[in-house]
Amino acid sequence: PRMRYPASEKLEIIRLVEESHLSARLTLAKLGIPRTTFYRWYDRYLQRGEAGLQDQSPKPKQVWNRIPTEIKADVIKLALQETELSPRELAVTFTDQKRYFVSESTVYRTLKAHDLITSPAFIVIKAANEFKDKTTATNQLWQTDFTYP
């Protein structure tokens, strides 16, 4: 990870480079600071003085894959209307009705965050002693499925 320098150190480095009897390239090499980094600092220093050397605080941006709050509210509304649907069925229904794709996991997380997830209804499948549809080649093995006894 690259190191972050406080404004005071950046200013000190600029002074060192300005006052050095070596070239800027050699001075920066000795200090172990990339030239592009130094010149970015130097430009900001020339434009705005010492204030230009303060770290810019990262601006909060819209997260590219975050579901908007109003969509989450719509998902909850649908879940409260269609109480018998599973998160997967809700996701499909929502996508069909609203023409806005939400994944099963998004629906699940949204409902869980609002304590609307009931414990899953487990379907117990007992394994049979052997497969009903026997495989005839090794590459078919992955296609096997549960066989009800």
mmCIF file of all heavy atoms in Angstrom, residues 27-68:
data_model
loop_
_atom_site.group_PDB
_atom_site.id
_atom_site.type_symbol
_atom_site.label_atom_id
_atom_site.label_comp_id
_atom_site.label_asym_id
_atom_site.label_seq_id
_atom_site.Cartn_x
_atom_site.Cartn_y
_atom_site.Cartn_z
ATOM 1 N N THR A 27 17.093 13.719 -6.488
ATOM 2 C CA THR A 27 16.649 13.977 -5.110
ATOM 3 C C THR A 27 15.448 13.092 -4.779
ATOM 4 O O THR A 27 15.410 12.446 -3.733
ATOM 5 C CB THR A 27 16.280 15.465 -4.927
ATOM 6 O OG1 THR A 27 17.383 16.257 -5.374
ATOM 7 C CG2 THR A 27 15.968 15.796 -3.479
ATOM 8 N N LEU A 28 14.486 13.039 -5.699
ATOM 9 C CA LEU A 28 13.280 12.229 -5.464
ATOM 10 C C LEU A 28 13.635 10.743 -5.408
ATOM 11 O O LEU A 28 13.077 10.006 -4.592
ATOM 12 C CB LEU A 28 12.233 12.497 -6.553
ATOM 13 C CG LEU A 28 11.590 13.888 -6.478
ATOM 14 C CD1 LEU A 28 10.796 14.178 -7.740
ATOM 15 C CD2 LEU A 28 10.714 14.015 -5.242
ATOM 16 N N ALA A 29 14.579 10.323 -6.242
ATOM 17 C CA ALA A 29 15.004 8.921 -6.230
ATOM 18 C C ALA A 29 15.604 8.578 -4.864
ATOM 19 O O ALA A 29 15.307 7.526 -4.286
ATOM 20 C CB ALA A 29 16.010 8.657 -7.347
ATOM 21 N N LYS A 30 16.433 9.485 -4.332
ATOM 22 C CA LYS A 30 17.048 9.261 -3.006
ATOM 23 C C LYS A 30 15.977 9.218 -1.910
ATOM 24 O O LYS A 30 16.095 8.476 -0.947
ATOM 25 C CB LYS A 30 18.081 10.352 -2.699
ATOM 26 C CG LYS A 30 19.396 10.167 -3.440
ATOM 27 C CD LYS A 30 20.429 11.151 -2.924
ATOM 28 C CE LYS A 30 21.749 11.055 -3.643
ATOM 29 N NZ LYS A 30 22.407 9.736 -3.521
ATOM 30 N N LEU A 31 14.941 10.041 -2.061
ATOM 31 C CA LEU A 31 13.858 10.074 -1.073
ATOM 32 C C LEU A 31 12.864 8.918 -1.263
ATOM 33 O O LEU A 31 12.031 8.664 -0.400
ATOM 34 C CB LEU A 31 13.101 11.406 -1.153
ATOM 35 C CG LEU A 31 13.885 12.657 -0.747
ATOM 36 C CD1 LEU A 31 13.099 13.909 -1.111
ATOM 37 C CD2 LEU A 31 14.199 12.643 0.737
ATOM 38 N N GLY A 32 12.944 8.283 -2.436
ATOM 39 C CA GLY A 32 12.023 7.176 -2.718
ATOM 40 C C GLY A 32 10.605 7.635 -3.009
ATOM 41 O O GLY A 32 9.639 6.968 -2.665
ATOM 42 N N ILE A 33 10.493 8.802 -3.645
ATOM 43 C CA ILE A 33 9.162 9.336 -3.964
ATOM 44 C C ILE A 33 9.005 9.384 -5.477
ATOM 45 O O ILE A 33 9.860 9.940 -6.174
ATOM 46 C CB ILE A 33 8.985 10.740 -3.349
ATOM 47 C CG1 ILE A 33 8.953 10.561 -1.833
ATOM 48 C CG2 ILE A 33 7.704 11.411 -3.843
ATOM 49 C CD1 ILE A 33 8.841 11.791 -1.049
ATOM 50 N N PRO A 34 7.937 8.792 -6.008
ATOM 51 C CA PRO A 34 7.729 8.816 -7.464
ATOM 52 C C PRO A 34 7.619 10.253 -7.974
ATOM 53 O O PRO A 34 7.009 11.101 -7.322
ATOM 54 C CB PRO A 34 6.410 8.073 -7.656
ATOM 55 C CG PRO A 34 6.157 7.337 -6.378
ATOM 56 C CD PRO A 34 6.883 8.088 -5.303
ATOM 57 N N ARG A 35 8.204 10.498 -9.134
ATOM 58 C CA ARG A 35 8.188 11.864 -9.686
ATOM 59 C C ARG A 35 6.767 12.330 -9.957
ATOM 60 O O ARG A 35 6.438 13.482 -9.705
ATOM 61 C CB ARG A 35 9.028 11.932 -10.972
ATOM 62 C CG ARG A 35 10.518 11.771 -10.698
ATOM 63 C CD ARG A 35 11.410 12.368 -11.773
ATOM 64 N NE ARG A 35 10.987 12.156 -13.137
ATOM 65 C CZ ARG A 35 11.516 11.232 -13.952
ATOM 66 N NH1 ARG A 35 12.467 10.434 -13.528
ATOM 67 N NH2 ARG A 35 11.099 11.120 -15.184
ATOM 68 N N THR A 36 5.927 11.435 -10.476
ATOM 69 C CA THR A 36 4.541 11.840 -10.781
ATOM 70 C C THR A 36 3.843 12.319 -9.513
ATOM 71 O O THR A 36 3.120 13.323 -9.546
ATOM 72 C CB THR A 36 3.732 10.683 -11.395
ATOM 73 O OG1 THR A 36 3.878 9.542 -10.552
ATOM 74 C CG2 THR A 36 4.199 10.340 -12.791
ATOM 75 N N THR A 37 4.076 11.620 -8.397
ATOM 76 C CA THR A 37 3.475 12.011 -7.115
ATOM 77 C C THR A 37 3.975 13.395 -6.709
ATOM 78 O O THR A 37 3.189 14.283 -6.363
ATOM 79 C CB THR A 37 3.842 10.982 -6.020
ATOM 80 O OG1 THR A 37 3.375 9.698 -6.437
ATOM 81 C CG2 THR A 37 3.224 11.338 -4.682
ATOM 82 N N PHE A 38 5.298 13.573 -6.788
ATOM 83 C CA PHE A 38 5.881 14.854 -6.391
ATOM 84 C C PHE A 38 5.318 16.003 -7.232
ATOM 85 O O PHE A 38 4.914 17.028 -6.700
ATOM 86 C CB PHE A 38 7.412 14.827 -6.523
ATOM 87 C CG PHE A 38 8.024 16.185 -6.319
ATOM 88 C CD1 PHE A 38 8.167 16.707 -5.041
ATOM 89 C CD2 PHE A 38 8.412 16.971 -7.400
ATOM 90 C CE1 PHE A 38 8.707 17.978 -4.838
ATOM 91 C CE2 PHE A 38 8.947 18.239 -7.215
ATOM 92 C CZ PHE A 38 9.097 18.739 -5.927
ATOM 93 N N TYR A 39 5.272 15.809 -8.542
ATOM 94 C CA TYR A 39 4.803 16.900 -9.407
ATOM 95 C C TYR A 39 3.315 17.182 -9.218
ATOM 96 O O TYR A 39 2.874 18.317 -9.375
ATOM 97 C CB TYR A 39 5.155 16.641 -10.881
ATOM 98 C CG TYR A 39 6.646 16.873 -11.104
ATOM 99 C CD1 TYR A 39 7.497 15.837 -11.439
ATOM 100 C CD2 TYR A 39 7.188 18.153 -10.933
ATOM 101 C CE1 TYR A 39 8.866 16.064 -11.607
ATOM 102 C CE2 TYR A 39 8.548 18.379 -11.098
ATOM 103 C CZ TYR A 39 9.381 17.335 -11.438
ATOM 104 O OH TYR A 39 10.725 17.568 -11.588
ATOM 105 N N ARG A 40 2.546 16.180 -8.828
ATOM 106 C CA ARG A 40 1.134 16.414 -8.514
ATOM 107 C C ARG A 40 1.050 17.307 -7.268
ATOM 108 O O ARG A 40 0.287 18.275 -7.245
ATOM 109 C CB ARG A 40 0.431 15.064 -8.295
ATOM 110 C CG ARG A 40 -1.083 15.173 -8.228
ATOM 111 C CD ARG A 40 -1.800 13.834 -8.194
ATOM 112 N NE ARG A 40 -1.326 12.995 -7.102
ATOM 113 C CZ ARG A 40 -0.708 11.818 -7.277
ATOM 114 N NH1 ARG A 40 -0.498 11.342 -8.479
ATOM 115 N NH2 ARG A 40 -0.303 11.115 -6.232
ATOM 116 N N TRP A 41 1.861 16.981 -6.249
ATOM 117 C CA TRP A 41 1.908 17.819 -5.030
ATOM 118 C C TRP A 41 2.344 19.235 -5.381
ATOM 119 O O TRP A 41 1.767 20.205 -4.924
ATOM 120 C CB TRP A 41 2.916 17.277 -4.027
ATOM 121 C CG TRP A 41 2.616 15.946 -3.418
ATOM 122 C CD1 TRP A 41 1.447 15.242 -3.467
ATOM 123 C CD2 TRP A 41 3.537 15.164 -2.664
ATOM 124 N NE1 TRP A 41 1.580 14.068 -2.787
ATOM 125 C CE2 TRP A 41 2.849 13.980 -2.275
ATOM 126 C CE3 TRP A 41 4.860 15.320 -2.269
ATOM 127 C CZ2 TRP A 41 3.450 12.994 -1.519
ATOM 128 C CZ3 TRP A 41 5.461 14.327 -1.507
ATOM 129 C CH2 TRP A 41 4.758 13.173 -1.143
ATOM 130 N N TYR A 42 3.407 19.311 -6.209
ATOM 131 C CA TYR A 42 4.016 20.608 -6.531
ATOM 132 C C TYR A 42 3.019 21.509 -7.263
ATOM 133 O O TYR A 42 2.907 22.692 -6.962
ATOM 134 C CB TYR A 42 5.283 20.395 -7.362
ATOM 135 C CG TYR A 42 6.222 21.579 -7.336
ATOM 136 C CD1 TYR A 42 6.752 22.043 -6.126
ATOM 137 C CD2 TYR A 42 6.581 22.242 -8.506
ATOM 138 C CE1 TYR A 42 7.604 23.133 -6.083
ATOM 139 C CE2 TYR A 42 7.444 23.324 -8.472
ATOM 140 C CZ TYR A 42 7.959 23.772 -7.265
ATOM 141 O OH TYR A 42 8.801 24.850 -7.214
ATOM 142 N N ASP A 43 2.266 20.939 -8.218
ATOM 143 C CA ASP A 43 1.231 21.692 -8.943
ATOM 144 C C ASP A 43 0.208 22.253 -7.962
ATOM 145 O O ASP A 43 -0.160 23.420 -8.038
ATOM 146 C CB ASP A 43 0.488 20.784 -9.940
ATOM 147 C CG ASP A 43 1.236 20.670 -11.257
ATOM 148 O OD1 ASP A 43 2.187 21.454 -11.475
ATOM 149 O OD2 ASP A 43 0.873 19.798 -12.073
ATOM 150 N N ARG A 44 -0.264 21.395 -7.061
ATOM 151 C CA ARG A 44 -1.279 21.833 -6.096
ATOM 152 C C ARG A 44 -0.696 22.895 -5.159
ATOM 153 O O ARG A 44 -1.391 23.834 -4.776
ATOM 154 C CB ARG A 44 -1.819 20.638 -5.302
ATOM 155 C CG ARG A 44 -2.609 19.669 -6.193
ATOM 156 C CD ARG A 44 -3.606 18.813 -5.443
ATOM 157 N NE ARG A 44 -3.086 18.212 -4.228
ATOM 158 C CZ ARG A 44 -2.967 16.900 -4.021
ATOM 159 N NH1 ARG A 44 -3.332 16.059 -4.950
ATOM 160 N NH2 ARG A 44 -2.494 16.452 -2.887
ATOM 161 N N TYR A 45 0.596 22.745 -4.829
ATOM 162 C CA TYR A 45 1.257 23.715 -3.951
ATOM 163 C C TYR A 45 1.365 25.074 -4.640
ATOM 164 O O TYR A 45 1.091 26.113 -4.050
ATOM 165 C CB TYR A 45 2.641 23.193 -3.552
ATOM 166 C CG TYR A 45 3.468 24.193 -2.768
ATOM 167 C CD1 TYR A 45 3.096 24.578 -1.484
ATOM 168 C CD2 TYR A 45 4.616 24.747 -3.320
ATOM 169 C CE1 TYR A 45 3.846 25.487 -0.760
ATOM 170 C CE2 TYR A 45 5.380 25.670 -2.601
ATOM 171 C CZ TYR A 45 4.987 26.032 -1.320
ATOM 172 O OH TYR A 45 5.733 26.939 -0.609
ATOM 173 N N LEU A 46 1.735 25.071 -5.937
ATOM 174 C CA LEU A 46 1.862 26.321 -6.682
ATOM 175 C C LEU A 46 0.509 27.004 -6.871
ATOM 176 O O LEU A 46 0.413 28.218 -6.856
ATOM 177 C CB LEU A 46 2.529 26.075 -8.047
ATOM 178 C CG LEU A 46 4.003 25.625 -7.983
ATOM 179 C CD1 LEU A 46 4.522 25.323 -9.381
ATOM 180 C CD2 LEU A 46 4.879 26.666 -7.307
ATOM 181 N N GLN A 47 -0.552 26.207 -7.036
ATOM 182 C CA GLN A 47 -1.884 26.784 -7.240
ATOM 183 C C GLN A 47 -2.507 27.282 -5.944
ATOM 184 O O GLN A 47 -3.098 28.349 -5.918
ATOM 185 C CB GLN A 47 -2.830 25.731 -7.847
ATOM 186 C CG GLN A 47 -2.545 25.429 -9.304
ATOM 187 C CD GLN A 47 -3.303 24.186 -9.779
ATOM 188 O OE1 GLN A 47 -4.138 23.644 -9.065
ATOM 189 N NE2 GLN A 47 -3.000 23.737 -10.985
ATOM 190 N N ARG A 48 -2.379 26.500 -4.862
ATOM 191 C CA ARG A 48 -3.153 26.808 -3.649
ATOM 192 C C ARG A 48 -2.310 26.947 -2.393
ATOM 193 O O ARG A 48 -2.848 27.013 -1.294
ATOM 194 C CB ARG A 48 -4.211 25.726 -3.440
ATOM 195 C CG ARG A 48 -5.189 25.648 -4.629
ATOM 196 C CD ARG A 48 -6.279 24.615 -4.474
ATOM 197 N NE ARG A 48 -6.876 24.592 -3.157
ATOM 198 C CZ ARG A 48 -7.110 23.473 -2.468
ATOM 199 N NH1 ARG A 48 -6.794 22.320 -2.965
ATOM 200 N NH2 ARG A 48 -7.669 23.542 -1.276
ATOM 201 N N GLY A 49 -0.976 26.938 -2.550
ATOM 202 C CA GLY A 49 -0.125 27.063 -1.372
ATOM 203 C C GLY A 49 -0.187 25.808 -0.516
ATOM 204 O O GLY A 49 -0.538 24.729 -1.007
ATOM 205 N N GLU A 50 0.089 25.967 0.766
ATOM 206 C CA GLU A 50 0.145 24.797 1.653
ATOM 207 C C GLU A 50 -1.207 24.082 1.750
ATOM 208 O O GLU A 50 -1.268 22.873 1.916
ATOM 209 C CB GLU A 50 0.621 25.227 3.048
ATOM 210 C CG GLU A 50 1.251 24.088 3.812
ATOM 211 C CD GLU A 50 1.934 24.534 5.115
ATOM 212 O OE1 GLU A 50 2.323 25.708 5.234
ATOM 213 O OE2 GLU A 50 2.036 23.679 5.996
ATOM 214 N N ALA A 51 -2.306 24.829 1.597
ATOM 215 C CA ALA A 51 -3.644 24.223 1.655
ATOM 216 C C ALA A 51 -3.822 23.174 0.564
ATOM 217 O O ALA A 51 -4.544 22.191 0.750
ATOM 218 C CB ALA A 51 -4.710 25.302 1.516
ATOM 219 N N GLY A 52 -3.163 23.370 -0.572
ATOM 220 C CA GLY A 52 -3.261 22.422 -1.676
ATOM 221 C C GLY A 52 -2.638 21.074 -1.352
ATOM 222 O O GLY A 52 -2.868 20.096 -2.057
ATOM 223 N N LEU A 53 -1.811 21.038 -0.299
ATOM 224 C CA LEU A 53 -1.131 19.793 0.061
ATOM 225 C C LEU A 53 -1.947 18.923 1.016
ATOM 226 O O LEU A 53 -1.593 17.784 1.262
ATOM 227 C CB LEU A 53 0.239 20.104 0.702
ATOM 228 C CG LEU A 53 1.227 20.829 -0.225
ATOM 229 C CD1 LEU A 53 2.497 21.155 0.523
ATOM 230 C CD2 LEU A 53 1.537 19.983 -1.449
ATOM 231 N N GLN A 54 -3.031 19.495 1.560
ATOM 232 C CA GLN A 54 -3.887 18.687 2.443
ATOM 233 C C GLN A 54 -4.503 17.563 1.618
ATOM 234 O O GLN A 54 -4.832 17.745 0.450
ATOM 235 C CB GLN A 54 -5.024 19.540 3.040
ATOM 236 C CG GLN A 54 -4.567 20.688 3.912
ATOM 237 C CD GLN A 54 -3.897 20.235 5.203
ATOM 238 O OE1 GLN A 54 -4.141 19.125 5.674
ATOM 239 N NE2 GLN A 54 -3.048 21.082 5.742
ATOM 240 N N ASP A 55 -4.668 16.399 2.249
ATOM 241 C CA ASP A 55 -5.312 15.286 1.550
ATOM 242 C C ASP A 55 -6.738 15.672 1.216
ATOM 243 O O ASP A 55 -7.443 16.205 2.066
ATOM 244 C CB ASP A 55 -5.337 14.034 2.432
ATOM 245 C CG ASP A 55 -4.065 13.211 2.262
ATOM 246 O OD1 ASP A 55 -3.406 13.348 1.222
ATOM 247 O OD2 ASP A 55 -3.743 12.435 3.173
ATOM 248 N N GLN A 56 -7.135 15.413 -0.017
ATOM 249 C CA GLN A 56 -8.535 15.648 -0.360
ATOM 250 C C GLN A 56 -9.348 14.526 0.257
ATOM 251 O O GLN A 56 -8.993 13.367 0.133
ATOM 252 C CB GLN A 56 -8.743 15.613 -1.878
ATOM 253 C CG GLN A 56 -8.620 16.953 -2.544
ATOM 254 C CD GLN A 56 -7.219 17.214 -3.044
ATOM 255 O OE1 GLN A 56 -6.611 16.362 -3.637
ATOM 256 N NE2 GLN A 56 -6.705 18.401 -2.792
ATOM 257 N N SER A 57 -10.421 14.894 0.945
ATOM 258 C CA SER A 57 -11.232 13.836 1.531
ATOM 259 C C SER A 57 -12.013 13.171 0.408
ATOM 260 O O SER A 57 -12.538 13.844 -0.477
ATOM 261 C CB SER A 57 -12.187 14.408 2.575
ATOM 262 O OG SER A 57 -13.086 15.284 1.955
ATOM 263 N N PRO A 58 -12.066 11.855 0.419
ATOM 264 C CA PRO A 58 -12.793 11.172 -0.646
ATOM 265 C C PRO A 58 -14.276 11.534 -0.581
ATOM 266 O O PRO A 58 -14.858 11.532 0.498
ATOM 267 C CB PRO A 58 -12.572 9.691 -0.347
ATOM 268 C CG PRO A 58 -12.024 9.616 1.023
ATOM 269 C CD PRO A 58 -11.518 10.966 1.411
ATOM 270 N N LYS A 59 -14.831 11.868 -1.715
ATOM 271 C CA LYS A 59 -16.232 12.271 -1.734
ATOM 272 C C LYS A 59 -17.103 11.022 -1.815
ATOM 273 O O LYS A 59 -16.850 10.145 -2.639
ATOM 274 C CB LYS A 59 -16.491 13.181 -2.944
ATOM 275 C CG LYS A 59 -15.819 14.529 -2.770
ATOM 276 C CD LYS A 59 -15.551 15.212 -4.101
ATOM 277 C CE LYS A 59 -14.740 16.465 -3.899
ATOM 278 N NZ LYS A 59 -13.369 16.194 -3.424
ATOM 279 N N PRO A 60 -18.128 10.928 -0.964
ATOM 280 C CA PRO A 60 -18.984 9.741 -1.041
ATOM 281 C C PRO A 60 -19.735 9.740 -2.369
ATOM 282 O O PRO A 60 -20.374 10.718 -2.730
ATOM 283 C CB PRO A 60 -19.946 9.911 0.140
ATOM 284 C CG PRO A 60 -19.889 11.360 0.485
ATOM 285 C CD PRO A 60 -18.559 11.880 0.044
ATOM 286 N N LYS A 61 -19.582 8.667 -3.095
ATOM 287 C CA LYS A 61 -20.246 8.562 -4.392
ATOM 288 C C LYS A 61 -21.388 7.561 -4.265
ATOM 289 O O LYS A 61 -21.436 6.787 -3.332
ATOM 290 C CB LYS A 61 -19.248 8.051 -5.439
ATOM 291 C CG LYS A 61 -18.131 9.029 -5.727
ATOM 292 C CD LYS A 61 -17.202 8.460 -6.777
ATOM 293 C CE LYS A 61 -16.066 9.406 -7.077
ATOM 294 N NZ LYS A 61 -14.998 9.406 -6.100
ATOM 295 N N GLN A 62 -22.273 7.587 -5.213
ATOM 296 C CA GLN A 62 -23.331 6.588 -5.267
ATOM 297 C C GLN A 62 -22.653 5.239 -5.504
ATOM 298 O O GLN A 62 -21.823 5.109 -6.375
ATOM 299 C CB GLN A 62 -24.288 6.927 -6.430
ATOM 300 C CG GLN A 62 -25.319 5.862 -6.753
ATOM 301 C CD GLN A 62 -26.349 5.682 -5.652
ATOM 302 O OE1 GLN A 62 -26.646 6.609 -4.919
ATOM 303 N NE2 GLN A 62 -26.881 4.494 -5.538
ATOM 304 N N VAL A 63 -22.972 4.251 -4.695
ATOM 305 C CA VAL A 63 -22.396 2.929 -4.895
ATOM 306 C C VAL A 63 -23.087 2.320 -6.103
ATOM 307 O O VAL A 63 -24.318 2.312 -6.176
ATOM 308 C CB VAL A 63 -22.599 2.054 -3.636
ATOM 309 C CG1 VAL A 63 -21.993 0.672 -3.836
ATOM 310 C CG2 VAL A 63 -21.972 2.737 -2.427
ATOM 311 N N TRP A 64 -22.311 1.810 -7.045
ATOM 312 C CA TRP A 64 -22.879 1.403 -8.337
ATOM 313 C C TRP A 64 -23.919 0.315 -8.230
ATOM 314 O O TRP A 64 -24.846 0.258 -9.013
ATOM 315 C CB TRP A 64 -21.770 0.995 -9.308
ATOM 316 C CG TRP A 64 -21.062 -0.266 -8.912
ATOM 317 C CD1 TRP A 64 -19.970 -0.365 -8.112
ATOM 318 C CD2 TRP A 64 -21.402 -1.598 -9.278
ATOM 319 N NE1 TRP A 64 -19.608 -1.677 -7.954
ATOM 320 C CE2 TRP A 64 -20.465 -2.460 -8.665
ATOM 321 C CE3 TRP A 64 -22.413 -2.161 -10.066
ATOM 322 C CZ2 TRP A 64 -20.505 -3.832 -8.812
ATOM 323 C CZ3 TRP A 64 -22.433 -3.543 -10.212
ATOM 324 C CH2 TRP A 64 -21.489 -4.359 -9.598
ATOM 325 N N ASN A 65 -23.799 -0.564 -7.232
ATOM 326 C CA ASN A 65 -24.744 -1.683 -7.192
ATOM 327 C C ASN A 65 -25.685 -1.627 -6.000
ATOM 328 O O ASN A 65 -26.262 -2.627 -5.633
ATOM 329 C CB ASN A 65 -23.987 -3.009 -7.195
ATOM 330 C CG ASN A 65 -23.106 -3.165 -5.979
ATOM 331 O OD1 ASN A 65 -22.922 -2.216 -5.226
ATOM 332 N ND2 ASN A 65 -22.566 -4.347 -5.780
ATOM 333 N N ARG A 66 -25.824 -0.475 -5.390
ATOM 334 C CA ARG A 66 -26.723 -0.378 -4.239
ATOM 335 C C ARG A 66 -28.166 -0.198 -4.708
ATOM 336 O O ARG A 66 -28.450 0.608 -5.570
ATOM 337 C CB ARG A 66 -26.313 0.785 -3.338
ATOM 338 C CG ARG A 66 -27.234 0.889 -2.122
ATOM 339 C CD ARG A 66 -26.628 1.612 -0.972
ATOM 340 N NE ARG A 66 -25.404 0.967 -0.521
ATOM 341 C CZ ARG A 66 -24.412 1.612 0.074
ATOM 342 N NH1 ARG A 66 -24.493 2.904 0.278
ATOM 343 N NH2 ARG A 66 -23.341 0.958 0.471
ATOM 344 N N ILE A 67 -29.052 -0.975 -4.115
ATOM 345 C CA ILE A 67 -30.477 -0.877 -4.450
ATOM 346 C C ILE A 67 -31.037 0.376 -3.759
ATOM 347 O O ILE A 67 -30.853 0.539 -2.556
ATOM 348 C CB ILE A 67 -31.230 -2.128 -3.948
ATOM 349 C CG1 ILE A 67 -30.617 -3.389 -4.543
ATOM 350 C CG2 ILE A 67 -32.723 -2.015 -4.222
ATOM 351 C CD1 ILE A 67 -31.232 -3.929 -5.773
ATOM 352 N N PRO A 68 -31.707 1.252 -4.504
ATOM 353 C CA PRO A 68 -32.274 2.464 -3.895
ATOM 354 C C PRO A 68 -33.272 2.120 -2.779
ATOM 355 O O PRO A 68 -33.948 1.100 -2.839
ATOM 356 C CB PRO A 68 -32.990 3.152 -5.059
ATOM 357 C CG PRO A 68 -32.405 2.564 -6.293
ATOM 358 C CD PRO A 68 -31.946 1.189 -5.943
#
